Amino acid sequence: EALRQREEREWHNARLRQENARLRLENRRLRRENRCLFRQALLGPGPDKPPADPGEEAEALRAQLGRLQEKHRRALRHLRRCRAAGGPEASGAEDGELDELLLEEDEQP
């Protein structure tokens, strides 16, 4: 019974590590996308594009920010569930960063 439980824990931990790696890649991709979009917003339209209506552009950026914030909240909730399910063995080297993000989310209204 103890061996079976150990194997289950090891399998579960391996699954959590895979999910964690997938989420890290997704997080990296979203950060790159965010930087790119922010850079585009700062630089404005290129010479071949007509200037966009500032009101429309601001509204589009607000909507996009809302979508990104919601993705971020869902990812943090998922990480929190994975951490709770994995127990102390599931914590990794990025615990400090995750704790920081979770604290930031808890502090926001």
PDB file of all heavy atoms in Angstrom, residues 91-105:
ATOM      1  N   SER A  91       6.692  22.123  -4.567  1.00  0.00           N
ATOM      2  CA  SER A  91       7.309  23.444  -4.667  1.00  0.00           C
ATOM      3  C   SER A  91       8.633  23.330  -5.393  1.00  0.00           C
ATOM      4  O   SER A  91       9.376  22.378  -5.209  1.00  0.00           O
ATOM      5  CB  SER A  91       7.488  24.066  -3.289  1.00  0.00           C
ATOM      6  OG  SER A  91       8.295  23.235  -2.507  1.00  0.00           O
ATOM      7  N   GLY A  92       8.918  24.340  -6.215  1.00  0.00           N
ATOM      8  CA  GLY A  92      10.134  24.311  -7.018  1.00  0.00           C
ATOM      9  C   GLY A  92      10.982  25.531  -6.776  1.00  0.00           C
ATOM     10  O   GLY A  92      10.785  26.279  -5.829  1.00  0.00           O
ATOM     11  N   ALA A  93      11.926  25.768  -7.661  1.00  0.00           N
ATOM     12  CA  ALA A  93      12.865  26.875  -7.516  1.00  0.00           C
ATOM     13  C   ALA A  93      12.175  28.223  -7.678  1.00  0.00           C
ATOM     14  O   ALA A  93      12.647  29.215  -7.162  1.00  0.00           O
ATOM     15  CB  ALA A  93      13.982  26.731  -8.546  1.00  0.00           C
ATOM     16  N   GLU A  94      11.034  28.273  -8.391  1.00  0.00           N
ATOM     17  CA  GLU A  94      10.368  29.536  -8.640  1.00  0.00           C
ATOM     18  C   GLU A  94       9.348  29.881  -7.558  1.00  0.00           C
ATOM     19  O   GLU A  94       8.490  30.714  -7.751  1.00  0.00           O
ATOM     20  CB  GLU A  94       9.661  29.512 -10.013  1.00  0.00           C
ATOM     21  CG  GLU A  94      10.599  29.534 -11.189  1.00  0.00           C
ATOM     22  CD  GLU A  94      11.213  28.182 -11.458  1.00  0.00           C
ATOM     23  OE1 GLU A  94      10.640  27.167 -11.003  1.00  0.00           O
ATOM     24  OE2 GLU A  94      12.260  28.122 -12.081  1.00  0.00           O
ATOM     25  N   ASP A  95       9.436  29.229  -6.411  1.00  0.00           N
ATOM     26  CA  ASP A  95       8.477  29.481  -5.340  1.00  0.00           C
ATOM     27  C   ASP A  95       8.430  30.942  -4.943  1.00  0.00           C
ATOM     28  O   ASP A  95       7.356  31.479  -4.695  1.00  0.00           O
ATOM     29  CB  ASP A  95       8.810  28.637  -4.111  1.00  0.00           C
ATOM     30  CG  ASP A  95       7.901  27.422  -4.009  1.00  0.00           C
ATOM     31  OD1 ASP A  95       7.065  27.262  -4.904  1.00  0.00           O
ATOM     32  OD2 ASP A  95       8.051  26.666  -3.055  1.00  0.00           O
ATOM     33  N   GLY A  96       9.563  31.600  -4.864  1.00  0.00           N
ATOM     34  CA  GLY A  96       9.583  33.003  -4.470  1.00  0.00           C
ATOM     35  C   GLY A  96       8.794  33.855  -5.438  1.00  0.00           C
ATOM     36  O   GLY A  96       7.995  34.701  -5.032  1.00  0.00           O
ATOM     37  N   GLU A  97       8.979  33.621  -6.722  1.00  0.00           N
ATOM     38  CA  GLU A  97       8.260  34.391  -7.735  1.00  0.00           C
ATOM     39  C   GLU A  97       6.764  34.103  -7.668  1.00  0.00           C
ATOM     40  O   GLU A  97       5.944  35.005  -7.725  1.00  0.00           O
ATOM     41  CB  GLU A  97       8.796  34.055  -9.128  1.00  0.00           C
ATOM     42  CG  GLU A  97       8.176  34.878 -10.224  1.00  0.00           C
ATOM     43  CD  GLU A  97       8.733  34.535 -11.596  1.00  0.00           C
ATOM     44  OE1 GLU A  97       9.676  33.739 -11.689  1.00  0.00           O
ATOM     45  OE2 GLU A  97       8.196  35.075 -12.569  1.00  0.00           O
ATOM     46  N   LEU A  98       6.414  32.829  -7.498  1.00  0.00           N
ATOM     47  CA  LEU A  98       5.005  32.463  -7.403  1.00  0.00           C
ATOM     48  C   LEU A  98       4.387  33.091  -6.157  1.00  0.00           C
ATOM     49  O   LEU A  98       3.293  33.640  -6.217  1.00  0.00           O
ATOM     50  CB  LEU A  98       4.836  30.943  -7.376  1.00  0.00           C
ATOM     51  CG  LEU A  98       3.413  30.426  -7.198  1.00  0.00           C
ATOM     52  CD1 LEU A  98       2.517  30.961  -8.296  1.00  0.00           C
ATOM     53  CD2 LEU A  98       3.395  28.924  -7.181  1.00  0.00           C
ATOM     54  N   ASP A  99       5.084  33.023  -5.023  1.00  0.00           N
ATOM     55  CA  ASP A  99       4.562  33.641  -3.800  1.00  0.00           C
ATOM     56  C   ASP A  99       4.320  35.123  -4.011  1.00  0.00           C
ATOM     57  O   ASP A  99       3.301  35.667  -3.570  1.00  0.00           O
ATOM     58  CB  ASP A  99       5.545  33.436  -2.634  1.00  0.00           C
ATOM     59  CG  ASP A  99       5.572  31.988  -2.158  1.00  0.00           C
ATOM     60  OD1 ASP A  99       4.570  31.281  -2.379  1.00  0.00           O
ATOM     61  OD2 ASP A  99       6.594  31.573  -1.583  1.00  0.00           O
ATOM     62  N   GLU A 100       5.259  35.790  -4.686  1.00  0.00           N
ATOM     63  CA  GLU A 100       5.120  37.219  -4.964  1.00  0.00           C
ATOM     64  C   GLU A 100       3.859  37.492  -5.789  1.00  0.00           C
ATOM     65  O   GLU A 100       3.074  38.391  -5.473  1.00  0.00           O
ATOM     66  CB  GLU A 100       6.335  37.707  -5.760  1.00  0.00           C
ATOM     67  CG  GLU A 100       7.133  38.783  -5.094  1.00  0.00           C
ATOM     68  CD  GLU A 100       8.341  39.124  -5.937  1.00  0.00           C
ATOM     69  OE1 GLU A 100       8.163  39.806  -6.964  1.00  0.00           O
ATOM     70  OE2 GLU A 100       9.449  38.694  -5.570  1.00  0.00           O
ATOM     71  N   LEU A 101       3.682  36.713  -6.853  1.00  0.00           N
ATOM     72  CA  LEU A 101       2.521  36.897  -7.720  1.00  0.00           C
ATOM     73  C   LEU A 101       1.220  36.639  -6.969  1.00  0.00           C
ATOM     74  O   LEU A 101       0.244  37.368  -7.119  1.00  0.00           O
ATOM     75  CB  LEU A 101       2.610  35.976  -8.940  1.00  0.00           C
ATOM     76  CG  LEU A 101       3.679  36.324  -9.959  1.00  0.00           C
ATOM     77  CD1 LEU A 101       3.796  35.211 -10.985  1.00  0.00           C
ATOM     78  CD2 LEU A 101       3.389  37.636 -10.628  1.00  0.00           C
ATOM     79  N   LEU A 102       1.213  35.587  -6.141  1.00  0.00           N
ATOM     80  CA  LEU A 102       0.008  35.268  -5.393  1.00  0.00           C
ATOM     81  C   LEU A 102      -0.309  36.365  -4.380  1.00  0.00           C
ATOM     82  O   LEU A 102      -1.467  36.727  -4.186  1.00  0.00           O
ATOM     83  CB  LEU A 102       0.162  33.914  -4.695  1.00  0.00           C
ATOM     84  CG  LEU A 102       0.224  32.706  -5.635  1.00  0.00           C
ATOM     85  CD1 LEU A 102       0.533  31.448  -4.858  1.00  0.00           C
ATOM     86  CD2 LEU A 102      -1.043  32.552  -6.426  1.00  0.00           C
ATOM     87  N   LEU A 103       0.718  36.916  -3.743  1.00  0.00           N
ATOM     88  CA  LEU A 103       0.506  38.019  -2.803  1.00  0.00           C
ATOM     89  C   LEU A 103      -0.036  39.252  -3.528  1.00  0.00           C
ATOM     90  O   LEU A 103      -0.947  39.909  -3.036  1.00  0.00           O
ATOM     91  CB  LEU A 103       1.794  38.363  -2.084  1.00  0.00           C
ATOM     92  CG  LEU A 103       2.200  37.436  -0.940  1.00  0.00           C
ATOM     93  CD1 LEU A 103       3.584  37.801  -0.421  1.00  0.00           C
ATOM     94  CD2 LEU A 103       1.180  37.466   0.173  1.00  0.00           C
ATOM     95  N   GLU A 104       0.544  39.569  -4.690  1.00  0.00           N
ATOM     96  CA  GLU A 104       0.063  40.712  -5.469  1.00  0.00           C
ATOM     97  C   GLU A 104      -1.405  40.536  -5.817  1.00  0.00           C
ATOM     98  O   GLU A 104      -2.191  41.483  -5.720  1.00  0.00           O
ATOM     99  CB  GLU A 104       0.866  40.857  -6.760  1.00  0.00           C
ATOM    100  CG  GLU A 104       2.244  41.436  -6.572  1.00  0.00           C
ATOM    101  CD  GLU A 104       3.019  41.451  -7.885  1.00  0.00           C
ATOM    102  OE1 GLU A 104       2.408  41.346  -8.963  1.00  0.00           O
ATOM    103  OE2 GLU A 104       4.249  41.565  -7.803  1.00  0.00           O
ATOM    104  N   GLU A 105      -1.780  39.309  -6.214  1.00  0.00           N
ATOM    105  CA  GLU A 105      -3.165  39.077  -6.588  1.00  0.00           C
ATOM    106  C   GLU A 105      -4.085  39.238  -5.376  1.00  0.00           C
ATOM    107  O   GLU A 105      -5.160  39.825  -5.467  1.00  0.00           O
ATOM    108  CB  GLU A 105      -3.331  37.665  -7.163  1.00  0.00           C
ATOM    109  CG  GLU A 105      -4.755  37.410  -7.615  1.00  0.00           C
ATOM    110  CD  GLU A 105      -5.079  35.955  -7.795  1.00  0.00           C
ATOM    111  OE1 GLU A 105      -4.424  35.105  -7.158  1.00  0.00           O
ATOM    112  OE2 GLU A 105      -6.011  35.668  -8.548  1.00  0.00           O
TER     113      GLU A 105
END
